[in-house]
């Protein structure tokens, strides 16, 4: 245990090995689905499915190890939902690049991300974000996590008339979600150690007894030979074309500002931010080399943090478990969405507490904060919600004669957001 203390400074962060391991295990259970989901999305770009799953696993492991040892922060790095869709359905399907050329885009955007993260630009970006926007980003992400959880559990479903509506409470999956949610709330409210993990295990057992089967098809065996044809297969043949650089710029913007927002929302100790941001950039670059879309801070990191994770031992544990999961994918899929959904809903609720500190009495602060809070879940996009919040903030400060309150860095960031929205 002394080696963990020396590596992760557990006493300094007022934690212990047991708590960190439990937090890592809890996060693992909530994030392990990414191996299957990201694999299938990336496979739509033309990468063989087995290779896509292995690339997701290996990239996630490296991201978690980097975050654990480089930043000693309790944040998980995995290929991001949304970013993977941008990789496959925009860069490849719409812009016409091959998956090999798309991997080159990932690598170059990772290098640009590193340039920002390892220079003073990162500090300027962070200090230029007003406190009201910073808090609203956390709240908005909390609502998005809640919405994702409600969708996963079937409590919210699509509607042609109202876009979304209440799910069918008579369906077994929805009933299981309600039961899991109630169980998790009670356990967490009573400060039961490992409440999230206990809820996940009980809900999984109940799901098996109810005959609720996994929703996706599992890959029975994985071939390392197939993966070796993908790793390092970057192609720079379109590097002189406009689509290549347009994709690179937009992807860089998404990575920088999505991770700034997520880290600001997830990290309680803001001193961990610079190193965590750097680990982010290194991991994103490695994704292009390993054969998948870029890694980002997983919103599911909030479950581990809520379970007590405070140091890099949390992501290190999660990364170790993700590596072993390559051989356990058929069993992992028995964890029902209802079990994950209840945790996401509660974690989302825990993240909205900062709304009370936003000065809504000052409309130049309150309205942009409100836009950020509302648009992150309503657009289902963290970067779009942040972008519109920044733009609204700048417009209101300028039109009310308070433009001197803004730094040159803020104006630059807002201009880049405008460009992102135009071309995305």
């Amino acid at each position: 245990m002394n080696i963990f203390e020396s590596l992760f400074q557990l006493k300094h962060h007022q934690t212990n090995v047991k708590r960190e391991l439990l937090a890592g295990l809890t996060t693992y259970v909530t994030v392990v689905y990414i191996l299957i989901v990201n694999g299938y999305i990336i496979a739509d770009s033309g990468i063989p499915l087995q290779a896509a799953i292995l690339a997701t696993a290996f990239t996630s492991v490296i991201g978690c190890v980097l975050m654990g040892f480089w930043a000693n922060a309790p944040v998980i790095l995995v290929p991001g939902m949304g970013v993977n869709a941008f990789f496959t359905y925009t860069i490849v399907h719409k812009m016409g690049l091959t998956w090999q050329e798309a991997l080159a885009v990932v690598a170059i955007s990772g290098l640009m991300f590193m340039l920002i993260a390892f220079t003073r630009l990162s500090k300027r970006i962070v200090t230029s974000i007003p406190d009201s926007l910073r808090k609203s980003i956390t709240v908005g992400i909390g609502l998005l996590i809640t919405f994702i959880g409600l969708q996963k559990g079937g409590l919210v479903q699509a509607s042609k008339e109202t876009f979304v509506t209440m799910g069918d409470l008579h369906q077994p999956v929805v009933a299981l979600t309600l039961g899991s949610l109630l169980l998790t709330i009670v356990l967490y409210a009573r400060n039961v150690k490992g409440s999230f993990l206990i809820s996940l295990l009980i809900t999984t057992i109940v799901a098996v007894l109810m005959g609720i089967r996994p929703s996706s098809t599992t890959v029975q065996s994985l071939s390392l030979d197939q993966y070796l044809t993908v790793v390092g297969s970057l192609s720079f043949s379109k590097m002189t074309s406009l689509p290549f650089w347009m994709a690179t710029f937009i992807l860089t913007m998404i990575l920088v500002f999505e991770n700034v927002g997520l880290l600001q929302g997830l990290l309680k100790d803001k001193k961990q931010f610079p190193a965590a941001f750097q680990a982010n950039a290194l991991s994103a670059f490695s994704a292009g080399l390993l054969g998948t879309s870029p890694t980002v801070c997983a919103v599911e990191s909030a479950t581990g943090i809520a379970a007590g994770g405070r140091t890099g031992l949390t992501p290190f544990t999660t990364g170790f478990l993700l590596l072993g999961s390559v051989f356990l994918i058929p069993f992992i899929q028995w964890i029902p969405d209802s079990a994950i959904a209840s945790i996401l809903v509660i974690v989302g609720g825990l993240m909205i507490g900062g709304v009370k500190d936003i000065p809504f009495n000052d409309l130049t602060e309150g309205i942009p904060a409100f836009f950020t809070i509302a648009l992150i879940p309503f657009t289902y996009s963290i970067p779009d919600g942040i972008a519109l919040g920044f733009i609204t903030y700048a417009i209101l400060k300028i039109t009310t004669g308070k433009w001197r309150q803004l730094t040159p860095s803020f104006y630059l960031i807002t201009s880049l957001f405008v460009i992102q929205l135009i071309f995305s």
Side-chain angles (χ1 to χ4, degrees):
M1 296 305 176
N2 289 334
I3 188 172
F4 288 132
E5 172 59 36
S6 61
L7 287 173
F8 301 108
Q9 301 176 327
L10 301 180
K11 290 182 180 179
H12 173 75
H13 292 279
Q14 298 180 336
T15 185
N16 55 59
V17 172
K18 182 180 178 181
R19 180 185 296 171
E20 295 293 312
L21 294 179
L22 182 60
L25 178 59
T26 302
T27 310
Y28 159 77
V29 177
T30 60
V31 82
V32 69
Y33 72 90
I34 199 67
L35 299 183
I36 296 294
V37 176
N38 189 72
Y40 275 92
I41 292 176
I42 295 302
D44 280 347
S45 71
I47 296 176
L49 177 59
Q50 294 183 8
I53 293 176
L54 284 173
T56 302
F58 295 150
T59 304
S60 299
V61 171
I62 288 178
C64 289
V65 169
L66 279 170
M67 184 61 75
F69 287 102
W70 188 281
N72 195 24
V75 176
I76 310 304
L77 296 178
V78 295
M81 296 298 294
V83 179
N84 52 13
F86 180 78
F87 176 93
T88 295
Y89 304 115
T90 299
I91 298 179
V92 176
H93 290 187
K94 289 187 178 181
M95 293 184 168
L97 276 65
T98 65
W99 62 263
Q100 293 92 339
E101 292 159 352
L103 290 177
V105 168
V106 172
I108 294 179
S109 65
L111 286 173
M112 295 173 67
F113 189 1
M114 288 168 60
L115 177 64
I116 294 171
F118 283 88
T119 64
R120 294 181 179 179
L121 288 173
S122 61
K123 185 176 182 179
R124 291 182 179 179
I125 289 173
V126 175
T127 56
S128 65
I129 302 176
D131 194 51
S132 60
L133 285 181
R134 230 190 319 259
K135 287 184 170 60
S136 66
I137 290 170
T138 303
V139 176
I141 293 172
L143 291 177
L144 177 60
I145 292 173
T146 300
F147 188 48
I148 292 172
L150 293 172
Q151 285 182 308
K152 274 184 172 294
L155 287 172
V156 168
Q157 63 183 27
S159 168
K160 292 183 179 179
E161 292 78 20
T162 59
F163 296 103
V164 293
T165 188
M166 176 69 77
D168 185 355
L169 300 181
H170 298 92
Q171 291 294 321
V173 170
V174 180
L176 181 63
T177 300
L178 287 172
S180 177
L181 184 58
L182 178 60
L183 172 64
T184 310
I185 290 173
V186 172
L187 291 174
Y188 190 80
R190 292 180 63 87
N191 294 316
V192 175
K193 298 288 186 180
S195 55
F196 290 158
L197 185 59
I198 293 171
S199 173
L200 284 165
L201 292 174
I202 292 176
T203 304
T204 300
I205 292 171
V206 173
V208 172
L209 295 176
M210 291 175 64
I212 296 177
R213 302 285 180 175
S215 58
S216 57
T217 303
T218 178
V219 177
Q220 297 298 332
S221 61
L222 297 173
S223 170
L224 189 61
D225 292 338
Q226 190 180 68
Y227 174 66
L228 292 176
T229 66
V230 172
V231 62
S233 297
L234 298 78
S235 172
F236 297 92
S237 59
K238 293 285 183 68
M239 195 169 179
T240 57
S241 69
L242 180 61
F244 184 94
W245 287 106
M246 187 64 66
T248 301
F249 171 75
I250 295 174
L251 183 57
T252 303
M253 294 289 294
I254 292 173
L255 290 175
V256 170
F257 292 109
E258 180 168 346
N259 284 300
V260 165
L262 285 165
L263 285 174
Q264 287 291 329
L266 291 169
L267 290 177
K268 295 179 180 179
D269 183 358
K270 302 307 178 186
K271 293 180 180 178
Q272 293 173 317
F273 178 89
F277 200 49
Q278 293 169 1
N280 247 283
L282 291 167
S283 179
F285 170 71
S286 72
L289 303 178
L290 294 173
T292 186
S293 56
T295 55
V296 299
C297 299
V299 292
E300 290 85 358
S301 301
T303 61
I305 294 171
R310 295 183 181 180
T311 73
L313 183 53
T314 293
F316 179 76
T317 303
T318 303
F320 179 80
L321 293 171
L322 287 172
L323 181 61
S325 298
V326 170
F327 307 100
L328 300 173
I329 288 173
F331 303 101
I332 291 168
Q333 289 193 137
W334 282 98
I335 300 171
D337 285 342
S338 297
I340 298 172
S342 61
I343 293 178
L344 293 178
V345 170
I346 292 175
V347 169
L350 296 173
M351 292 180 69
I352 69 170
V355 72
K356 67 180 183 301
D357 299 319
I358 299 174
F360 286 104
N361 57 310
D362 181 351
L363 294 183
T364 64
E365 300 283 337
I367 294 298
F370 168 72
F371 271 33
T372 304
I373 292 169
L375 290 170
I376 286 177
F378 290 164
T379 63
Y380 215 81
S381 169
I382 293 170
D384 286 348
I386 295 173
L388 292 167
F390 268 70
I391 293 168
T392 306
Y393 193 93
I395 290 172
L396 286 177
K397 289 296 183 181
I398 292 170
T399 55
T400 56
K402 299 179 180 179
W403 57 272
R404 291 185 181 86
Q405 296 180 7
L406 306 180
T407 65
S409 298
F410 183 88
Y411 284 114
L412 176 60
I413 292 170
T414 304
S415 300
L416 293 175
F417 270 131
V418 172
I419 295 172
Q420 174 203 326
L421 290 177
I422 291 173
F423 289 103
S424 64

